């Protein structure tokens, strides 16, 4: 006696019969069983009586059996209809359990938001956006990871953040995004520095040749500055290379040397005259600030809401 052939991974999965009614039709049948009236069942599921009659007839044609006996005294299930109703109840209950489970998953997803942002955006723009988000979604717990633009891209691609914000010239590889704001970089120095007393704009070649207090490589600020001064021989070896905007500002204020920072970041120091802007001739130090996410995975839930608030 030959043994049955082994199961093959190439065999397509079984599909539901085309004779299985949709959930709406099954819910209507259950309503007829509850109320003993097609009219009351129609009101229960939110459709007209003619539409209910048509749906029952369509279901009877699909299944090939009569489900409901109609009479002036009301509508009564046939024996076949009573059996189909028992099966329908299990299907509808399973669908309700499925829906409840999906809603629970969605609720768990929507109860948290992981944001990764480059330093300038994290310090000077995100706080206002997050306050507005809390007014919309008071139950959403938000965590913020601040780092340079390269670190933000790494977190997004590694699945460790739901939405990112970066500074720089372009969207990092593997991500897509949209511009949410614009920013300009400013060359700044302490009032005691010689550049603060210049009467002429600084020449780009002199800026490029001067050791500066700078953010680390991978930051959006450094990317923009590198690109702007590339034709002038590139940046000189930094005087100091620091990993945060706050540290760069503190070094510049102390007189360690001139720095290049976002105008957003130095507004307070300029207003209090602890730093002064050094104009530079012929160099555009402008950048776009972007919201970013992994390619093909547009933000949903609270990430989508935060994105809308940035606009």
């Amino acid at each position: 006696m030959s043994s049955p052939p082994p199961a093959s991974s190439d065999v397509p999965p079984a599909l539901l019969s085309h004779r299985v009614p949709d959930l709406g039709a099954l819910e209507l049948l259950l309503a007829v069983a509850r109320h003993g009236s097609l009219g009351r069942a129609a009101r229960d599921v939110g459709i007209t009586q003619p539409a209910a009659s048509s749906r029952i007839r369509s279901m009877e044609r699909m299944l090939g059996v009569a489900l409901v006996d109609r009479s002036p005294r009301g509508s009564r299930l046939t024996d076949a209809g009573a059996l189909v109703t028992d099966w329908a109840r299990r299907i509808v209950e399973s669908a309700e359990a499925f829906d409840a489970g999906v809603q629970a998953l969605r609720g768990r997803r929507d109860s948290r938001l992981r944001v990764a942002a480059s330093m300038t955006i994290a310090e000077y723009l995100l706080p206002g956006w997050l306050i507005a988000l809390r007014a919309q979604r008071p139950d959403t717990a938000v965590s913020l990871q601040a780092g340079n633009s390269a670190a933000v891209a790494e977190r997004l691609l590694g699945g460790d953040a739901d939405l990112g914000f970066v500074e720089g010239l372009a969207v990092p590889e593997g991500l897509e995004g949209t511009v949410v704001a614009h920013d300009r970089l400013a060359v700044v120095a302490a009032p005691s520095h010689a550049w603060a007393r210049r009467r002429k704009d600084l020449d780009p070649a002199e800026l490029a040749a001067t050791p500066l207090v700078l953010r680390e490589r991978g930051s959006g600020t450094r990317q923009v500055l590198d690109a702007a001064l590339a034709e002038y021989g590139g940046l000189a070896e930094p005087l100091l290379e620091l990993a945060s905007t706050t540290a760069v500002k503190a070094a510049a204020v102390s007189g360690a040397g001139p720095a290049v920072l976002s105008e957003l970041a130095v507004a307070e120091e300029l207003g209090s005259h602890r730093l002064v802007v050094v104009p530079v001739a012929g160099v555009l130090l402008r950048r776009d600030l972007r919201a970013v996410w992994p390619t093909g995975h547009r933000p949903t839930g609270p990430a989508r809401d935060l994105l809308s608030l940035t606009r």
Side-chain angles (χ1 to χ4, degrees):
M1 181 175 178
S2 61
S3 58
S8 171
S9 59
D10 295 330
V11 176
L15 300 176
L16 285 175
S17 167
H18 67 281
R19 292 185 180 275
V20 176
D22 61 57
L23 282 173
L26 297 179
E27 287 177 322
L28 174 61
L29 184 63
L30 292 175
V32 172
R34 282 196 305 273
H35 297 291
S37 163
L38 198 56
R40 287 197 293 273
R43 288 193 295 274
D44 193 0
V45 299
I47 61 176
T48 65
Q49 183 167 339
S53 296
S54 175
R55 185 170 291 186
I56 291 292
R57 286 194 296 270
S58 295
M59 187 163 38
E60 289 175 331
R61 287 194 299 270
M62 175 186 292
L63 298 178
V65 293
L67 301 173
V68 178
D69 279 335
R70 302 162 184 82
S71 71
R73 295 188 300 277
S75 299
R76 183 181 63 84
L77 295 178
T78 64
D79 291 342
L83 187 57
V84 170
T85 298
D86 285 339
W87 296 334
R89 185 172 291 106
R90 298 177 206 168
I91 295 172
V92 171
E93 287 173 352
S94 295
E96 289 172 346
F98 175 85
D99 184 49
V102 170
Q103 285 191 39
L105 287 175
R106 191 183 305 121
R108 186 168 65 185
R109 180 204 68 188
D110 291 352
S111 68
R112 68 168 189 174
L113 173 61
R114 301 168 301 166
V115 180
S118 55
M119 293 294 190
T120 300
I121 299 174
E123 290 183 46
Y124 302 101
L125 294 176
L126 257 175
W129 296 338
L130 293 178
I131 288 170
L133 180 68
R134 177 162 289 278
Q136 286 189 6
R137 287 180 170 269
D139 296 328
T140 296
V142 179
S143 62
L144 172 61
Q145 300 167 308
N148 62 36
S149 295
V152 171
E154 184 178 342
R155 288 188 177 108
L156 284 167
L157 294 173
D160 297 321
D162 305 306
L163 185 64
F165 294 92
V166 297
E167 313 148 15
L169 298 172
V171 177
E173 185 177 356
L175 305 179
E176 57 184 283
T178 184
V179 174
V180 297
H182 303 285
D183 186 26
R184 286 188 299 181
L185 301 181
V187 179
V188 294
S192 59
H193 193 276
W195 281 5
R197 298 185 293 276
R198 292 180 64 98
R199 294 187 177 182
K200 293 176 58 178
D201 289 354
L202 187 65
D203 183 78
E206 184 179 355
L207 176 63
T210 301
L212 303 171
V213 181
L214 295 174
R215 285 287 308 279
E216 79 287 4
R217 293 188 182 277
S219 71
T221 300
R222 187 72 173 268
Q223 290 172 17
V224 172
L225 191 58
D226 280 337
L229 297 181
E231 63 180 289
Y232 301 99
L235 283 168
E237 190 67 22
L239 177 67
L240 291 171
E241 193 173 61
L242 304 171
S244 78
T245 299
T246 301
V248 173
K249 283 196 298 183
V253 168
S254 73
V260 180
L261 289 165
S262 161
E263 288 186 344
L264 291 169
V266 295
E268 181 181 341
E269 287 74 16
L270 294 176
S272 62
H273 305 293
R274 287 180 291 160
L275 290 174
V276 297
V277 172
V278 181
V280 182
V283 173
L284 183 64
L285 297 177
R286 180 182 179 278
R287 62 182 177 175
D288 294 327
L289 308 182
R290 293 180 174 87
V292 290
W293 54 87
T295 300
H297 297 276
R298 192 162 182 85
T300 59
R304 179 193 58 220
D305 292 345
L306 178 59
L307 178 59
S308 70
L309 289 169
T310 66
R311 298 175 181 174

